[in-house]
């Protein structure tokens, strides 16, 4: 039974998209016979090889169910019970995870002001203090998002600078890579250039925004911090029983270039949208990945909402967020851009 319009697409989130056909085929191919549960299957073993090819020989991958789960497990792996995490004030772990890092992982978040979504060493330095003060949650981790919540991208040099500062102060670096593929596609770099080679210790790698049905991964890049990530995954309720179906999806995504093809296309559609509307609206942040943030009159926003799904970002400022996906078409973009022009045109 089909309950929705199969041609419907919008600009609310890359999570709204379906499953990439190659990923759907991989799920079907894995759906024969019996395989061991909880990661004791040939697909999960193969997945380790695929991730090591991208992130280095010492990388260990732990498939999980959700992005929030990936961040909770990753941050627990890096933090003591008395630890805290420095993050951007716009960061997903601070704004959009329902307090899960603090409630479930039992750690303290220390948000600092970010510049267009990006952390800087001076901002981090403001909270990198009180390491020996028992009255203060000890800063132990710096958490970045790549791409950021605002669609902007750190260069490898920027990540290395932050990682160098963090490591010099006895802290680790976590990277929330829910859209890491989009950032790497934007820069034309391999995944390890923005992670392993830049000094990241633990990565949350995103799959659902890049064409998967479900599934994310915690990737431990620094072997020294792997003190029981497998147990943390279990106690955080992120260990899938039929893990082969998560692993099979990631193999389809990462064993070849599907991850880059999907991300490159999504980015290109956002660029197309930006070019089409930049004279009609105020684009608030640089368009570097698959997100366009725009400021519009209240009436124009209301009329657009009647025609297309998308999210308001800052209602007080009249800002909206428009996301593109691997399955966004040029025709989708052109229809939306035409509606933007129609509703913002001055009489």
């Amino acid at each position: 039974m089909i309950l929705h319009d199969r041609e419907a697409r919008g600009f609310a989130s890359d999570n709204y998209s379906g499953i990439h056909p190659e990923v759907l085929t991989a799920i079907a191919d894995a759906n024969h016979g019996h395989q061991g549960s909880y990661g004791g299957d040939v697909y999960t073993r193969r997945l380790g090889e695929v991730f090591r090819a991208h992130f280095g020989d010492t990388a260990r991958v732990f498939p999980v169910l959700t992005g929030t789960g990936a961040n909770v497990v990753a941050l627990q792996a890096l933090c003591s019970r008395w630890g805290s995490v420095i993050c951007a004030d716009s960061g997903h772990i601070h704004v959009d995870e329902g307090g899960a890092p603090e409630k479930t992982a039992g750690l303290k978040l220390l948000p600092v002001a970010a510049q267009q979504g990006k952390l800087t060493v001076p901002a981090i330095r403001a909270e990198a203090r009180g390491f020996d003060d028992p009255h203060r949650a000890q800063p132990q981790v710096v958490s970045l998002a790549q791409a950021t919540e605002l669609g902007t991208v750190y260069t490898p040099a920027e990540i290395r600078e932050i990682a160098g500062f963090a490591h010099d102060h006895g802290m680790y670096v976590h990277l929330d890579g829910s859209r890491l593929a989009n950032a790497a596609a934007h820069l034309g770099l391999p995944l390890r250039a923005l992670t392993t080679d830049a000094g990241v210790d633990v990565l949350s790698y995103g799959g659902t925004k890049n064409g998967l049905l479900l599934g994310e991964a915690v990737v431990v890049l620094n072997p020294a911090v792997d003190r029981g990530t497998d147990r943390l995954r279990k106690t955080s309720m992120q260990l899938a029983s039929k893990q082969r179906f998560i692993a099979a999806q990631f193999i389809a995504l990462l064993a070849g270039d599907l991850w880059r093809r999907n991300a490159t296309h999504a980015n290109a559609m956002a660029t197309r949208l930006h070019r089409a509307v930049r004279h009609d609206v105020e684009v608030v942040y640089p368009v570097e990945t698959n997100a366009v943030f725009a400021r519009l009159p209240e009436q124009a926003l209301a009329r657009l909402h009647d025609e297309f799904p998308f999210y308001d970002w800052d209602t007080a400022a009249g800002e909206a967020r428009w996301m593109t996906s691997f399955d966004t078409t040029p025709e989708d973009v052109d229809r939306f851009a035409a509606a933007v022009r129609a509703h913002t045109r001055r009489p």
Side-chain angles (χ1 to χ4, degrees), residues 2-271:
I2 297 171
L3 301 178
H4 75 294
D5 177 0
R6 290 194 285 186
E7 301 303 316
R9 279 189 290 269
F11 296 86
S13 174
D14 36 12
N15 281 327
Y16 276 43
S17 64
I19 311 166
H20 191 278
E22 293 180 35
V23 174
L24 195 56
T25 297
I27 295 172
D29 289 345
N31 191 34
H32 297 278
H34 288 197
Q35 279 284 302
S37 58
Y38 301 108
D41 61 89
V42 295
Y43 294 92
T44 298
R45 288 198 291 275
R46 169 66 177 136
L47 185 64
E49 298 171 358
V50 170
F51 268 83
R52 286 191 292 275
H54 281 288
F55 297 102
D57 291 341
T58 61
R60 291 193 68 198
V61 58
F62 300 88
V64 295
L65 298 168
T66 70
T68 297
N71 286 335
V72 166
V73 172
L75 293 174
Q76 286 182 96
L78 295 172
C79 264
S80 305
R81 291 291 294 168
W82 52 87
S84 61
V85 177
I86 300 173
C87 64
D89 54 4
S90 58
H92 200 274
I93 62 172
H94 173 54
V95 176
D96 287 308
E97 294 188 340
E102 294 179 319
K103 292 179 180 179
T104 303
L107 50 86
K108 172 69 175 172
L109 297 181
L110 301 173
V112 299
Q115 297 180 9
Q116 296 184 334
K118 294 160 67 172
L119 289 175
T120 62
V121 167
I124 295 167
R125 184 179 286 114
E127 290 289 358
R129 55 186 172 80
F131 293 98
D132 298 321
D133 183 354
H135 301 283
R136 175 175 167 78
Q138 186 183 59
Q140 294 182 338
V141 180
V142 176
S143 180
L144 316 176
Q146 177 77 311
T148 73
E149 281 297 286
L150 305 181
T152 52
V153 171
Y154 291 93
T155 65
E158 289 171 328
I159 298 174
R160 280 195 297 270
E161 181 184 12
I162 290 171
F165 177 86
H167 293 155
D168 286 347
H169 288 76
M171 297 185 289
Y172 294 116
V173 177
H174 164 253
L175 192 142
D176 180 347
S178 66
R179 295 187 178 96
L180 178 60
N182 299 90
H186 169 71
L187 295 172
L189 292 172
L191 296 170
R192 68 172 295 154
L194 300 172
T195 53
T196 311
D197 296 344
V200 173
D201 296 293
V202 175
L203 163 70
S204 301
Y205 189 83
T208 50
K209 294 177 174 63
N210 198 212
L212 269 57
L213 164 65
L214 64 85
E216 317 290 314
V218 175
V219 191
V220 177
L221 304 173
N222 177 1
V225 306
D226 192 5
R227 301 183 296 266
T229 309
D230 55 343
R231 295 180 181 274
L232 288 170
R233 176 177 56 172
K234 178 65 174 180
T235 57
S236 299
M237 298 168 286
Q238 288 296 312
L239 178 60
S241 57
K242 296 185 180 181
Q243 188 169 287
R244 63 168 148 158
F245 296 106
I246 298 177
Q249 293 178 79
F250 270 118
I251 292 169
L253 191 70
L254 290 166
D257 68 346
L258 181 59
W259 69 273
R260 189 180 292 275
R261 282 189 277 130
N262 284 354
T264 298
H265 177 80
N267 291 357
M269 292 300 97
T271 299

